Amino acid sequence: MSSEYLIQTRDLSVGFPVGGQLFNRRVLKAVNHVTLAIPKGSFFGVVGESGSGKTTFGRALLNAVPITGGSAHYDDGEVNYDLGDLAGADLKEYRRRAQLIFQDPYAALSPRMTVRDIIAEPLEVMGLCKSRDEVDERVREVAAMCRLNIEHLRRFPHAFSGGQRQRISIARALVSRPRFVIADESVAALDVSIQADILNLLKSLQDEMGLTYLFISHDLSVVAHTCDHVAVMYLGQIMESAPTRQLFEAPRHPYTKALFSAIPSLDPDDKGKVQRLEGEIPSPTNRPTGCQFHTRCPSATDLCRQKEPEMEICEAGHSVSCHRWQELQTAV
């Protein structure tokens, strides 16, 4: 495994058995053969429609759901873990190094706990501090980094706005001094102006603490503002992966192009061509043959319906899983 990357997955799959009968059960593959590498210190984005497997992929990297196929590795230079085989002291240490920022700042915080206790809870559960004074010092330190005042620590979550609550959630995630942070739709529930404030906070904390982010979102405008590299996921698989600017300037996959065409324009006179996606994402328990996207792709051929495409490198750092990407690019 290369030391350049914090997280590397190879053919990673996550499946869940469904159905009531023991001999009639099917497997719902929420994540299906994902190969990905997240560089150290990057702000790595994963985008896709609801139901594309983004959250399950993130939870697999946190060891919160079992990995049922393939492999995932974590290597920060100090420790090297196979995420599919973690237990005991190694799992406890990985929990300290990998943290999650939840989507809903209202549901993520206990209404019965003060802000101080909420932020301090990971330290106390993991036994990372030797005394209460050390806990309080660490809490005040991370609270200040997240732009929370000392008097805020005595209050309860109901006294705060959505943006303030999300800063509390960020402080709780960072108090254990992790290396890897997954932000799962962490600004989706906030107003646009507050979104920008939280995103700028995450970027400043990345520089200050040397963090690596996996940023899960369905909002392409937010991803364009924040991420260094973006992977596009559909039905549990990666359709396209590229540096952010490269992906937005020259998308190769029809699914990526359809997502981009749905971004609203600020120009009311812009009559740009919109590529609408017909139908719904197929059920993960009844996957299409061939390319997973062919049931909704306007450019699908018999080859797409019969054979699953391999991930191809179209230029440095840019890969795509599509039989016709070269032909479609020439047609444009």
Side-chain angles (χ1 to χ4, degrees), residues 109-118 151-161 164-165 168:
L109 305 178
S110 171
R112 300 175 182 270
M113 299 173 69
T114 64
V115 171
R116 182 267 174 201
D117 292 340
I118 288 171
E151 59 266 24
H152 289 161
L153 301 179
R154 296 190 293 269
R155 301 179 188 174
F156 289 87
H158 72 266
F160 297 92
S161 66
Q164 289 172 318
R165 290 185 187 211
I168 296 168

Side-chain angles (χ1 to χ4, degrees), residues 2 52 91-93 97 118 145 169 197 212 230 233 243 248 264 274 279 329:
S2 172
S52 61
L91 178 58
K92 182 178 179 180
E93 178 60 21
R97 293 172 182 262
I118 288 171
M145 293 169 63
S169 295
D197 181 60
T212 300
V230 182
M233 183 172 277
F248 276 72
V274 177
Q329 194 69 17

Side-chain angles (χ1 to χ4, degrees), residues 35 237-241 309-313 319-322:
T35 298
Q237 293 185 331
I238 301 298
M239 298 287 106
E240 188 167 5
S241 178
E310 296 181 0
M311 187 67 76
E312 296 183 44
I313 297 175
S319 55
V320 62
S321 176
C322 177

Side-chain angles (χ1 to χ4, degrees), residues 116-180:
R116 182 267 174 201
D117 292 340
I118 288 171
I119 298 175
E121 188 176 22
L123 299 176
E124 295 167 346
V125 170
M126 298 180 193
L128 299 178
C129 295
K130 297 179 180 179
S131 66
R132 183 179 177 86
D133 288 343
E134 189 178 347
V135 170
D136 288 339
E137 182 181 353
R138 183 87 69 88
V139 168
R140 287 193 294 268
E141 177 189 352
V142 75
M145 293 169 63
C146 294
R147 304 172 192 165
L148 296 168
N149 299 326
I150 292 179
E151 59 266 24
H152 289 161
L153 301 179
R154 296 190 293 269
R155 301 179 188 174
F156 289 87
H158 72 266
F160 297 92
S161 66
Q164 289 172 318
R165 290 185 187 211
Q166 196 60 293
R167 290 204 294 273
I168 296 168
S169 295
I170 293 170
R172 178 178 59 184
L174 299 185
V175 74
S176 65
R177 296 173 181 166
R179 302 292 182 85
F180 180 48

